[in-house]
């Protein structure tokens, strides 16, 4: 039986698929299993990145376990030209597992729910737009409640 995942997607550099919004759409197609996606939003960068980001969140269904899905997302990032290294820099695509219908997961290199999503409006607002009643397994709050607390 497939699991449901919420994936955050972001881009602020042109790539082989075109402008950042096109990169995000192409990444969604590569991931597959998309049930729903939030509207694309333009957001200010964090850290040293210079360009505005295009962000969205998608609800997907997948037979992958959380580590298998993470490996697949990293392979997609690499295929899109994502270069590993500095955090918060300009990037063609960024794909993160935010939530999983199985609750919480922790292993080397993967923590679900994503440890920073509650503090990031550019992630939380799109997530709340598609799964407002999903509960954070760590706090028990719904995505709608979490989004209402963020600026």
């Amino acid at each position: 039986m497939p699991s449901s995942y919420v994936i955050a997607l972001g881009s602020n550099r042109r790539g082989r698929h075109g402008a950042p919004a096109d990169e995000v759409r192409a990444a969604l197609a590569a991931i597959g299993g998309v049930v729903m996606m939030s509207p694309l939003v333009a957001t200010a960068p964090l850290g040293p990145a210079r360009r505005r980001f295009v962000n969205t969140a998608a609800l997907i269904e997948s037979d992958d376990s959380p580590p298998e899905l993470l490996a697949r997302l990293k392979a997609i990032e690499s295929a899109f030209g994502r270069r590993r290294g500095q955090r918060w820099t300009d990037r063609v695509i960024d794909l993160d597992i935010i939530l999983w219908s199985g609750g919480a997961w922790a292993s080397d290199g993967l923590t679900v729910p994503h440890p920073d999503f509650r503090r990031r409006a550019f992630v939380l607002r799109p997530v709340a737009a598609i799964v407002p009643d999903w509960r954070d397994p760590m706090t028990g709050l719904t995505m709608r409640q979490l989004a209402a607390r963020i600026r």
Side-chain angles (χ1 to χ4, degrees), residues 22 38 46 61 64 69 89 104 149:
D22 298 318
S38 71
L46 290 180
E61 289 187 351
D64 293 337
L69 180 59
T89 60
R149 294 175 171 209

Side-chain angles (χ1 to χ4, degrees), residues 18-108:
D22 298 318
E23 294 297 326
V24 167
R25 288 185 197 97
L28 281 168
I31 294 166
V34 176
V35 174
M36 183 182 325
M37 94 177 233
S38 71
L40 297 173
V41 293
T43 59
L46 290 180
R50 294 177 307 276
R51 301 175 184 102
R52 291 181 64 78
F53 274 82
V54 171
N55 293 100
T56 192
L59 175 66
I60 69 161
E61 289 187 351
S62 175
D63 290 325
D64 293 337
S65 68
E68 290 168 338
L69 180 59
L70 177 65
R72 200 157 59 84
L73 296 179
K74 295 303 172 195
I76 291 167
E77 286 180 342
S78 180
F80 275 55
R82 168 98 187 252
R83 292 177 293 238
R84 305 308 301 173
Q86 292 181 321
R87 295 180 67 187
W88 302 327
T89 60
D90 294 327
R91 59 197 62 190
V92 172
I93 197 71
D94 186 29
L95 306 173
D96 290 314
I97 300 171
I98 304 301
L99 297 166
W100 170 49
S101 60
W105 179 281
S107 62
D108 267 356

Side-chain angles (χ1 to χ4, degrees), residues 7-11 38-47 52-58 88 91 94 96 98 114 116-128 147 150-151:
I7 308 298
L9 302 92
S11 174
S38 71
L40 297 173
V41 293
T43 59
L46 290 180
R52 291 181 64 78
F53 274 82
V54 171
N55 293 100
T56 192
W88 302 327
R91 59 197 62 190
D94 186 29
D96 290 314
I98 304 301
H114 190 286
D116 297 324
F117 91 97
R118 292 170 206 87
R119 295 187 301 271
R120 295 180 174 170
F122 66 89
V123 173
L124 190 52
R125 287 192 180 118
V127 168
I150 202 161
R151 289 180 237 194

